[in-house]
Amino acid sequence: MSYTGPEFPPPQPERRPGRPRRAPVVVTGALVAGALLGWLAYEAVGASGNGSDAQADPTGAAAVTSAPASHSPAAHTSASPSPSADDGKGKDAGTPASGPLRGRVVVIDPGHNLGNARYTAEINRQVDIGTGHKECDTTGTATNDSYPEASFTLDLAHRLRTLLEQQGATVKLTHDTGTRPWGPCVDERARIGNEAHADAAISLHADGSAPGNRGFHVILPAAVHAGAADTRPIAAASHRLGASIAGSFVRVTGEPPANYLGGGTGLVTRGDLGGLNLSTVPKVFIECGNMRDATDAARLTSGSWRQRAAEGISEGIVAFLRES
Ligand SMILES: [Zn+2]
């Protein structure tokens, strides 16, 4: 749960053992302050601003009808089921010719897959995540009204892709509507980002915790080195990416940092996720809210809220890329 990397200037790669510093503690404080500042700013103005989305669009039905039309996978840069097709040929398709992020590559990983439930043998297969073995993939959670996390993540991915492409970025999804019946496995999800040489990668999720637990959190990769996993080279940059996203997410959506983990920072560091352990590019996960909490569920099922969620994530990625 500890946050081990600084938000701002890159850390000294090798801290001298004889000179222990309190930087992680200080930086944690700065992060907390930064994230909460955004939240407090929202709290101060949210009532008169755009913070009433849950009331404006409380039903899942509205969310469904407001979801964007399915993108044609062929028209975008969706992952192919075959890693061998991930040769960069597709990633230039549809890339805008201009924009501040021209030439930058972002990989978006929509967590889970709506088809996973029908392929239990495939997704239960164990894959090597460096620190151990885990299921290839999982089905994800759902709201009490059965809005699946996999639908949420895919819709959010489409919205986020549009925003980043408007900034000139080249965007690749690890999977998309109709590209594959299940998965990809978590190791392949990481590999797709690696092979795309992504400047930033993000895996999109919503949590399935107990009612009353609410808020978002960004999951940062711990610095692990075991087997095929070595996140030491990307840990610091990933932490900057995550902090940037957390700050903009709280500001744009008004969603509070999780009240059930992360100590109110909206940031959690983990070393047990294959999608992070196997990444060689800066990468984070975001759990946008708790699908099993009624307040959060009203937001997660709102198309207008998902649009703001995409904007918050996009702004965090853009700020990270413009500083790196
Ligand atoms: Zn998930």
Side-chain angles (χ1 to χ4, degrees):
M1 296 296 175
S2 64
Y3 176 71
T4 57
E7 178 181 14
F8 291 116
Q12 304 304 318
E14 302 293 341
R15 186 171 299 146
R16 291 177 185 171
R19 188 171 166 244
R21 296 177 58 186
R22 297 168 59 195
V25 174
V26 172
V27 166
T28 300
L31 264 176
V32 173
L36 292 183
L37 265 179
W39 186 31
L40 291 172
Y42 161 77
E43 289 285 286
V45 300
S48 60
N50 55 9
S52 58
D53 58 291
Q55 287 74 29
D57 184 9
T59 67
V64 171
T65 55
S66 62
S70 294
H71 289 69
S72 164
H76 285 278
T77 56
S78 310
S80 160
S82 164
S84 64
D86 183 23
D87 56 2
K89 183 176 63 178
K91 92 182 176 189
D92 294 328
T95 302
S98 63
L101 296 189
R102 182 183 181 190
R104 312 305 292 274
V105 178
V106 179
V107 167
I108 303 170
D109 176 39
H112 316 283
N113 184 320
L114 209 50
N116 279 357
R118 297 192 301 274
Y119 291 87
T120 52
E122 286 83 354
I123 67 166
N124 286 334
R125 179 173 66 85
Q126 298 283 300
V127 297
D128 188 347
I129 65 165
T131 53
H133 288 78
K134 264 196 158 178
E135 295 83 8
C136 149
D137 205 11
T138 51
T139 55
T141 187
T143 67
N144 290 339
D145 290 334
S146 303
Y147 177 59
E149 182 187 0
S151 296
F152 168 81
T153 63
L154 198 56
D155 177 80
L156 184 60
H158 291 157
R159 296 172 188 273
L160 179 57
R161 172 173 61 187
T162 298
L163 293 170
L164 290 168
E165 286 181 343
Q166 287 170 353
Q167 297 287 316
T170 297
V171 181
K172 184 179 183 69
L173 268 57
T174 58
H175 69 100
D176 202 348
T177 310
T179 59
R180 54 195 310 158
W182 55 271
C185 294
V186 294
D187 55 342
E188 186 180 350
R189 290 175 188 262
R191 192 161 61 244
I192 291 169
N194 299 345
E195 293 180 351
H197 303 292
D199 296 292
I202 183 164
S203 188
L204 306 175
H205 292 263
D207 213 351
S209 188
N213 289 345
R214 61 166 308 221
F216 81 95
H217 65 282
V218 175
I219 304 174
L220 313 170
V224 299
H225 182 214
D230 186 0
T231 56
R232 296 171 300 176
I234 57 112
S238 298
H239 290 200
R240 289 197 303 277
L241 171 64
S244 181
I245 291 170
S248 57
F249 192 83
V250 75
R251 176 171 48 78
V252 176
T253 66
E255 180 72 2
N259 64 4
Y260 58 101
L261 74 183
T265 64
L267 298 170
V268 172
T269 300
R270 289 176 61 172
D272 64 330
L273 296 172
L276 294 180
N277 284 3
L278 300 174
S279 184
T280 59
V281 299
K283 184 173 181 181
V284 298
F285 280 39
I286 184 167
E287 299 278 3
C288 294
N290 175 17
M291 299 198 98
R292 296 293 186 178
D293 176 80
T295 303
D296 273 5
R299 293 182 164 202
L300 296 163
T301 55
S302 156
S304 60
W305 190 87
R306 289 198 298 276
Q307 184 62 29
R308 282 206 293 286
E311 289 166 5
I313 296 167
S314 175
E315 287 184 20
I317 293 172
V318 169
F320 167 79
L321 291 178
R322 298 192 79 165
E323 292 170 4
S324 61

